[in-house]
Amino acid sequence: MPSRNKTFHPYILLLFILAAAYLPLCTFYFGMKNDAFSDNFPNKFFISQALASRHLPVWNAYMNFGFPVYADMGFAFFNPITWLFALLGYNAYTLTLEVLLYIYLGGIFMYRLGRYLKFETSIAVTVAAMYICSGFFAGCLEYINFLTSAAFLPLVIQGLLQLFEGPRFKSSFILAIAIYFVFAGGHPAIPIVLLYFIFILVVLLFVIFKNYRNNAKKITIFLLLSFALFAVFYLPAIYSYITVLPYYARNNGAVQASYTNAGFTFTSWLSFIFPFATAVNQHMFGTDASMRNGFFSIAGFICVICCIKKATPLVKVLLVTAGIMLLLSLGGGIKVFIYNNLPLLKYIRYNGEFRVFAIVCFSIIAGFGLQRLATEAKYARLAANIFKVVLAFGIGVLIVAGITGYGSILATLHKIAVPAGVTDRIKTFLQQGSFTLFMCISALLAAIICLLSIRTLKTGNLNRLLVITVLDVCLNSLLYLPVTGVGQKTLGSIQAVYNTSPANIPIPPLAPVNTIDTLDPVTTGLVGDITYYNKKIGTARLTDYPSYFSSTDKFFSDTAAVNEVIKHPYL
């Protein structure tokens, strides 16, 4: 990984890193799991079909007797990229391509942020790899709307820093566009917490940097201009949500005590060093598997620790911000207290995804640390010593876990040997593998990475360390993808379901609702309810889609009324 590249070489290199870290996805053979197709695809498919029929796609009649697509806060209706793919034509393959594009955009924006912060090109590429191959992107792959917002976080940070450094209209405009794309990602959670994230950064930048305080009036004016521009850009969405919100089934907020197991728990912090250990199919981490992984490379984690000593002002800002965002991502009683008392947070159910704000800060700090490795001998020795501690810890874990968990490891290996196919063996391994086995695998990989890094630091070859770091995040991404991101079903089999859908938007038949065909539970869990695709209006039950009217909920709770209505055609 040379330190000097031609203009486009870093972007090409990021493509190779993306392909390596997300190989199962990039082959377009295996499909994404769960929400990716069952919750995120239906409205995309509808818009694509409506445009092909030259219809204005504002009302999806196939969603629980109908729902206004433009006011669906769980759908990226106001995102220009959505419309680009809708015009191209949504199917299982283009949805996969869209997800890969967002991950790639996250890498591009992080790379450009690194270059803005004066990182060497190779370091900026490595920092970008840390971000897009992190435990957030690999762990939340099925939640597409999280990724669509997270891709633009580096651009928000760069826009904010540029505005503080040189407050002018151009800086305000760039920041407004960046904030718009986060909000247009298709899920309200990350946009809401983005406001807290920006507020924390702004306060800390003013507190820690004297020159910013001296120019506070001008900075504040252009910062307010950014939000004014954003409000103008996002006004159609704001108007749409406000008009529909009184009739929306989820307009009263969440009962936070029911979602205490939805955060990035303290035990999940183990993933900063041993990410695959958190993939175990057990409840010991107190949260969903997609909310447990915060990995962004061992070298990155060690550089963050090293940067605490003699931290620069910007590193201090990022460290404090990351700490606060980790607090906001916690579950349990902490979540209940915070989310019941701070504005807007009561509407948020799952909050483990907010670890992405800490990860983006940690990745930037790691970039500063990698820069210091090349110029400060004392810093390099400190990093080498911490690598040795992690190495010793990893070897210790291997020894203790190998001795105490020998029986469970053998039992798991015997279970894996039973299925004949490779995919079935992987499924058995992930579902029945013990924590001991997963911890051993993660500790072994960490020990190897640490050993290679220590030897590299002795030679002073920074570029080799960067390569090792990129390999580290790519390997751990590949290991974690089958847990929450990529399933056993092929894209071809998923597309075969969509191929049964009539083309465009036909006139629906006058058939009783209770005669409308259904899918088996397995297929429904994969792609969603058949009513999203059969182009027949009406359903005998409330389908599992997050957005619907409170009146729809009330109707389906009246069994007698439902049983009478479904005897007749909807129209």
Side-chain angles (χ1 to χ4, degrees):
M1 190 183 295
S3 58
R4 292 186 180 182
N5 296 286
K6 294 182 179 179
T7 305
F8 294 106
H9 283 188
Y11 302 108
I12 296 171
L13 191 52
L14 282 174
L15 271 178
F16 280 109
I17 292 171
L18 176 71
Y22 294 90
L23 185 63
L25 208 61
C26 291
T27 59
F28 291 91
Y29 182 75
F30 291 106
M32 291 173 287
K33 284 184 177 182
N34 306 330
D35 286 22
F37 284 105
S38 64
D39 282 0
N40 287 290
F41 186 76
N43 271 330
K44 292 176 182 285
F45 181 74
F46 165 74
I47 284 190
S48 186
Q49 295 288 293
L51 290 177
S53 301
R54 298 182 180 180
H55 289 181
L56 188 62
V58 293
W59 179 269
N60 188 346
Y62 311 121
M63 287 286 181
N64 289 316
F65 288 103
F67 192 82
V69 181
Y70 64 88
D72 184 355
M73 287 180 280
F75 175 59
F77 182 85
F78 294 94
N79 191 327
I81 297 176
T82 298
W83 288 81
L84 175 65
F85 277 89
L87 290 170
L88 179 65
Y90 268 113
N91 55 47
Y93 297 93
T94 54
L95 179 69
T96 303
L97 181 63
E98 182 186 24
V99 172
L100 289 170
L101 173 62
Y102 277 111
I103 299 172
Y104 182 57
L105 286 174
I108 289 175
F109 294 136
M110 182 57 96
Y111 166 76
R112 293 183 65 85
L113 173 58
R115 293 298 292 149
Y116 172 76
L117 295 172
K118 304 294 191 299
F119 294 168
E120 291 290 330
T121 300
S122 53
I123 292 176
V125 170
T126 303
V127 170
M130 288 181 190
Y131 185 58
I132 64 173
C133 304
S134 68
F136 169 80
F137 280 90
C140 291
L141 188 63
E142 65 176 287
Y143 302 119
I144 295 173
N145 290 344
F146 291 166
L147 308 189
T148 55
S149 291
F152 294 91
L153 291 183
L155 184 60
V156 170
I157 295 173
Q158 182 176 344
L160 188 64
L161 293 177
Q162 285 178 325
L163 188 147
F164 268 75
E165 197 64 33
R168 54 184 180 274
F169 180 80
K170 181 180 178 181
S171 303
S172 296
F173 184 80
I174 292 173
L175 180 58
I177 291 294
I179 295 173
Y180 174 88
F181 270 95
V182 174
F183 269 77
H187 195 280
I190 289 181
I192 287 173
V193 176
L194 175 70
L195 298 177
Y196 283 88
F197 181 68
I198 293 176
F199 175 77
I200 294 165
L201 283 174
V202 168
V203 170
L204 290 173
L205 286 170
F206 276 130
V207 169
I208 294 177
F209 287 86
K210 183 179 179 181
N211 58 317
Y212 294 157
R213 292 198 301 274
N214 294 335
N215 200 22
K217 183 178 180 180
K218 188 175 182 180
I219 291 173
T220 302
I221 290 172
F222 281 95
L223 189 61
L224 292 175
L225 176 61
S226 288
F227 280 96
L229 289 171
F230 157 71
V232 171
F233 299 152
Y234 203 60
L235 190 59
I238 295 172
Y239 176 77
S240 300
Y241 299 151
I242 290 175
T243 54
V244 173
L245 191 61
Y247 313 102
Y248 191 60
R250 291 186 175 184
N251 66 354
N252 293 320
V255 179
Q256 294 300 327
S258 300
Y259 294 93
T260 56
N261 60 343
F264 183 54
T265 57
F266 284 118
T267 50
S268 299
W269 290 12
L270 181 69
S271 64
F272 287 134
I273 297 294
F274 305 119
F276 191 63
T278 65
V280 67
N281 187 25
Q282 295 178 5
H283 299 293
M284 61 179 295
F285 292 99
T287 188
D288 186 81
S290 62
M291 300 292 153
R292 299 176 193 163
N293 194 345
F295 188 73
F296 60 98
S297 80
I298 293 176
F301 181 75
I302 289 173
C303 282
V304 170
I305 295 175
C306 292
C307 277
I308 295 174
K309 184 178 181 181
K310 295 182 180 179
T312 62
L314 182 55
V315 168
K316 289 178 183 178
V317 169
L318 295 171
L319 280 171
V320 175
T321 303
I324 296 173
M325 300 316 295
L326 282 179
L327 182 65
L328 284 177
S329 68
L330 286 172
I334 295 175
K335 177 179 187 286
V336 174
F337 176 77
I338 293 176
Y339 283 64
N340 280 331
N341 289 283
L342 289 180
L344 298 176
L345 295 187
K346 68 177 182 178
Y347 295 101
I348 294 172
R349 289 163 170 78
Y350 283 78
N351 66 313
E353 69 268 23
F354 300 149
R355 68 192 186 277
V356 68
F357 292 97
I359 290 173
V360 71
C361 292
F362 286 146
S363 298
I364 298 167
I365 297 168
F368 286 110
L370 291 171
Q371 288 275 100
R372 290 178 64 180
L373 280 177
T375 57
E376 300 178 30
K378 289 183 179 180
Y379 186 87
R381 285 196 296 270
L382 176 61
N385 288 334
I386 300 177
F387 269 115
K388 290 175 183 177
V389 172
V390 177
L391 172 62
F393 185 56
I395 293 174
V397 167
L398 280 171
I399 295 172
V400 173
I403 294 173
T404 60
Y406 180 75
S408 65
I409 292 174
L410 281 181
T412 303
L413 294 177
H414 283 304
K415 291 176 184 176
I416 296 170
V418 173
V422 175
T423 54
D424 287 335
R425 288 183 177 181
I426 294 174
K427 181 179 179 180
T428 302
F429 169 68
L430 293 174
Q431 290 183 343
Q432 302 187 33
S434 64
F435 172 72
T436 305
L437 177 58
F438 284 21
M439 188 66 185
C440 283
I441 293 172
S442 197
L444 177 61
L445 182 57
I448 293 171
I449 293 297
C450 287
L451 185 61
L452 292 173
S453 300
I454 292 167
R455 294 184 63 182
T456 300
L457 283 172
K458 287 181 179 179
T459 64
N461 190 333
L462 178 62
N463 284 337
R464 186 179 297 173
L465 178 63
L466 300 182
V467 171
I468 293 170
T469 302
V470 170
L471 288 175
D472 185 21
V473 291
C474 287
L475 286 172
N476 277 288
S477 174
L478 284 172
L479 272 175
Y480 215 87
L481 280 179
V483 179
T484 60
V486 178
Q488 296 183 76
K489 296 292 184 179
T490 64
L491 276 180
S493 64
I494 296 172
Q495 184 58 41
V497 178
Y498 300 142
N499 289 340
T500 63
S501 175
N504 303 328
I505 306 294
I507 297 175
L510 291 176
V513 172
N514 60 7
T515 64
I516 294 177
D517 49 334
T518 59
L519 291 172
D520 62 271
V522 174
T523 307
T524 300
L526 179 66
V527 301
D529 197 85
I530 187 62
T531 58
Y532 305 157
Y533 312 109
N534 61 11
K535 309 296 174 66
K536 300 174 183 178
I537 300 176
T539 175
R541 66 191 187 284
L542 184 67
T543 58
D544 186 23
Y545 186 79
S547 297
Y548 51 89
F549 291 122
S550 55
S551 57
T552 305
D553 191 19
K554 184 178 180 181
F555 165 71
F556 280 107
S557 66
D558 187 345
T559 305
V562 172
N563 290 337
E564 180 59 34
V565 168
I566 63 176
K567 295 177 184 178
H568 310 280
Y570 177 67
L571 297 176

